[in-house]
Structures are given as C-alpha cells and as structure tokens.
C-alpha cells in the first residue's frame, strides 16, 4: 500500500497536468504529413520524457538543500491556484515545418512547461527515484492518449478541475510540512498537520474558485 498510494497520486497528477503538453505535441506536429506526424509525436515524447527524468532527478537532489521543500510546496500551491484560474492559450505555440523542427519544439516546450509536473511528482513520490522514474515512464501513454481526453472533460465538467487543484494543494501542503523547520514548529506547538493540510486545501479552492467565478467561467 505504501507503494501503490504514491503511484496512484503520480498518475493522477500526470493526468491533470499533462494536458498542456498534449496540446504542444498536437500543435507542433500538425502541419507535418500524416506519416511524419506519428514519428514526431513518438520521438518528441520519448525525448521529452528522457529530459524530464534528468530534470526530476536534479530536483530530488536540490530538495536535500535547506528550505527547498518549503519553496517547492509554495510553488506547487501557485500551480494549484493557476489550474483553477488560468485560461488555456495555445496561439503562441510554434509549429514545426519538418520532422526535426517538430521534435525539437516538442522537447523544449515540454521542458519549459514541466516544472509544475516535476515538482508535483517529486512531492507525491516522497523523493523515491524508482517511483519517480516509473511514474514518468507511465506518463508516456498519458501524454500521448489520455491527456487530451482529460482536457476535454475538464472543459465540460468543472468539478474535475477542482479535484485536480485539491490534489495539488494537498500534495503541496505535505511538501511544506516535510521542511524540518516547519515540522518542528508543528511538533513544538502541538499543532495538527492534518488540519493545516485541510486549511490549505480549503483556501486554495475558495480563493481560486472565487477568482474563477469572477472571470466568468
């Protein structure tokens, strides 16, 4: 169960956060002939996943430094908030005119867009490199097939966006609590970590939900 729970979290996070990556893949390869489009999607995704594994291992190493869990948790809270309030904008995504161009665009766009994904996966995996690599490898079919479906569902059913933001907010709270200074503060003052996690979740959902309604979603 200790292995299954974080793996399920990683898969859910990949489902929620890989939608934009799927859009990048589709946009970057859309002008290629059909036979080259499949190659661009395959090799672009494989290359992006390879670089993402390296990027994630680097993040795991950085998490050993002081206050990085706290910073990473705060950044992940921002991601959860942005998931609720941001509108998708695909107009600025470049289009590849050749197979090589499309692959390069897919790889580098994925790297630029994957910080939120990497932070969330590292937090959910408790910095277990095996789980991280397994989760990222399993994200390949997610990026290729499932993420576009999830994006469409998120557009139709708003509650899915709220569930995704709640998952990220909870994961961010767990990451913040792992910071030694924060953990000791809770222990010394006999404060409930579960109550803190619930409070973070409620604040993100309430503030993000209000902003979303204000924008007219």
């Amino acid at each position: 169960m200790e292995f299954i729970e974080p793996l399920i979290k990683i898969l859910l996070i990949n489902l929620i956060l890989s939608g934009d990556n799927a859009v990048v893949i589709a946009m970057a390869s859309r002008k290629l002939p059909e036979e080259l489009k499949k190659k661009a999607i395959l090799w672009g995704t494989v290359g992006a996943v390879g670089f993402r594994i390296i990027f994630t291992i680097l993040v795991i190493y950085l998490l050993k430094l002081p206050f990085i869990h706290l910073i990473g948790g705060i950044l992940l809270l921002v991601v959860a908030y942005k998931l609720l309030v941001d509108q998708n904008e695909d107009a600025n995504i470049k289009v590849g005119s050749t197979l090589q161009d499309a692959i390069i665009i897919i790889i580098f766009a994925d790297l630029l867009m994957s910080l939120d994904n990497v932070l969330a996966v590292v937090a959910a995996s408790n910095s277990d490199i095996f789980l991280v690599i397994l989760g990222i490898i399993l994200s390949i079919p997610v990026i290729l097939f499932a993420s576009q479906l999830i994006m469409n569902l998120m557009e139709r059913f708003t509650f899915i966006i709220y569930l995704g933001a709640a998952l990220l907010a909870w994961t961010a709270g767990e990451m913040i609590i792992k910071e030694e200074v924060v953990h000791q503060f809770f222990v010394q003052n006999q404060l409930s970590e579960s109550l803190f996690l619930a409070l973070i979740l409620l604040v993100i959902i309430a503030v993000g939900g209000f902003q979303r309604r204000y924008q007219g979603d």
Side-chain angles (χ1 to χ4, degrees):
M1 193 63 190
E2 292 180 3
F3 176 82
I4 296 297
E5 182 182 344
L7 187 58
I8 290 173
K9 271 189 181 180
I10 290 170
L11 291 176
L12 288 174
I13 286 167
N14 277 320
L15 278 172
I16 296 298
L17 293 182
S18 290
D20 288 345
N21 304 73
V23 172
V24 166
I25 291 171
M27 295 287 287
S29 59
R30 75 178 189 270
K31 286 191 175 180
L32 295 176
E34 197 61 37
E35 64 274 12
L36 291 183
K37 188 181 293 185
K38 292 180 180 179
K39 290 183 179 179
I41 291 172
L42 174 62
W43 291 111
T45 302
V46 170
V49 167
F51 278 106
R52 194 185 293 188
I53 289 173
I54 296 171
F55 188 22
T56 306
I57 291 173
L58 177 62
V59 170
I60 290 175
Y61 173 76
L62 290 175
L63 284 177
K64 296 177 182 178
L65 300 175
F67 300 108
I68 295 296
H69 277 95
L70 178 61
I71 295 169
I74 293 171
L75 288 175
L76 204 50
L77 284 176
V78 173
V79 172
Y81 174 77
K82 285 169 68 66
L83 179 64
L84 285 174
V85 303
D86 276 9
Q87 302 295 324
N88 289 326
E89 296 183 4
D90 305 326
N92 295 324
I93 298 174
K94 293 183 178 180
V95 179
S97 55
T98 67
L99 176 62
Q100 183 178 354
D101 285 347
I103 291 173
I104 291 172
I105 289 169
I106 290 169
I107 290 174
F108 281 97
D110 183 89
L111 281 176
L112 291 173
M113 297 169 63
S114 290
L115 178 59
D116 54 358
N117 195 297
V118 167
L119 279 172
V121 167
V122 170
S125 69
N126 295 318
S127 299
D128 185 317
I129 292 180
F130 174 74
L131 264 180
V132 165
I133 294 175
L134 179 60
I136 292 176
I137 290 173
L138 290 175
S139 75
I140 295 177
V142 170
I143 294 172
L144 287 176
F145 305 112
S147 50
Q148 188 62 53
L149 172 63
I150 294 298
M151 273 189 64
N152 294 334
L153 289 174
M154 286 168 68
E155 289 175 4
R156 290 187 59 190
F157 304 107
T158 307
F159 75 90
I160 296 178
I161 298 176
Y162 283 88
L163 288 176
L167 172 65
L168 291 176
W170 188 272
T171 304
E174 289 179 331
M175 198 172 188
I176 291 171
I177 289 173
K178 286 176 187 172
E179 184 63 53
E180 186 61 28
V181 173
V182 177
H183 177 69
Q184 288 301 321
F185 175 81
F186 275 86
V187 171
Q188 290 171 6
N189 293 278
Q190 298 182 337
L191 299 175
S192 171
E193 294 181 351
S194 297
L195 185 60
F196 171 73
L197 292 173
L199 182 61
I200 281 183
L201 190 151
L202 288 174
V203 168
I204 289 294
I205 296 299
V207 175
F210 175 80
Q211 183 67 24
R212 188 179 183 85
R213 288 172 182 260
Y214 179 78
Q215 290 175 344
D217 183 67

